[in-house]
Amino acid sequence: EVQLVESGGGSVQAGGSLTLSCTAFGFTIDDVDVGWYRQPSGNECELISTFSNDGTTYYTASSVQGRFTISRDSAKNTVFLHMTSLKREDTAVYYCAADIAESGARGGICSAVYNYWGQGAQVTVSS
């Protein structure tokens, strides 16, 4: 079965760090583009960062610039979102997405052009 499985969410104090994992099953993560989104409660999704299959980060939102980075572990078929200097406003459900839909069809909870979506990971930052 083709799916993305997220892990690593949790609660952390402001200023702390957290790393989310997004593991692919049924396909090779190296072969696809990946995006990370987040959705604060009651708000719309925000695109955080995109990571190309060639290992290049193409986009990082200004709200997380300098604090969040993406990396990939090919052996684990996993992409990571490393979050540092966390702020209360980073509290949200975080979603990974992979494999841009060539048809341009939008899908997933954030209605973006990726074929596969993780189940979401809650990150709560307290002061």
Side-chain angles (χ1 to χ4, degrees):
E1 180 182 2
V2 175
Q3 60 178 334
L4 288 173
V5 178
E6 297 184 46
S7 61
S11 298
V12 63
Q13 288 195 326
S17 301
L18 207 59
T19 294
L20 302 181
S21 302
C22 176
T23 301
F25 294 90
F27 66 97
T28 302
I29 202 73
D30 287 0
D31 292 340
V32 300
D33 293 347
V34 174
W36 282 95
Y37 291 77
R38 68 184 180 186
Q39 185 176 35
S41 179
N43 288 286
E44 296 183 352
C45 286
E46 175 189 12
L47 174 61
I48 299 170
S49 190
T50 59
F51 189 82
S52 173
N53 60 351
D54 66 4
T56 303
T57 297
Y58 274 100
Y59 171 82
T60 301
S62 59
S63 58
V64 303
Q65 184 75 44
R67 301 188 299 120
F68 290 15
T69 57
I70 296 178
S71 68
R72 184 175 63 192
D73 186 330
S74 301
K76 296 181 179 179
N77 212 26
T78 298
V79 170
F80 302 94
L81 179 66
H82 305 280
M83 304 180 290
T84 63
S85 300
L86 283 161
K87 306 174 182 180
R88 289 188 63 186
E89 51 264 42
D90 294 320
T91 295
V93 179
Y94 285 71
Y95 297 94
C96 63
D99 191 24
I100 292 177
E102 293 183 1
S103 66
R106 295 181 174 273
I109 196 165
C110 292
S111 189
V113 291
Y114 289 97
N115 285 319
Y116 310 119
W117 289 82
Q119 81 278 16
Q122 176 69 49
V123 173
T124 302
V125 184
S126 59
S127 58

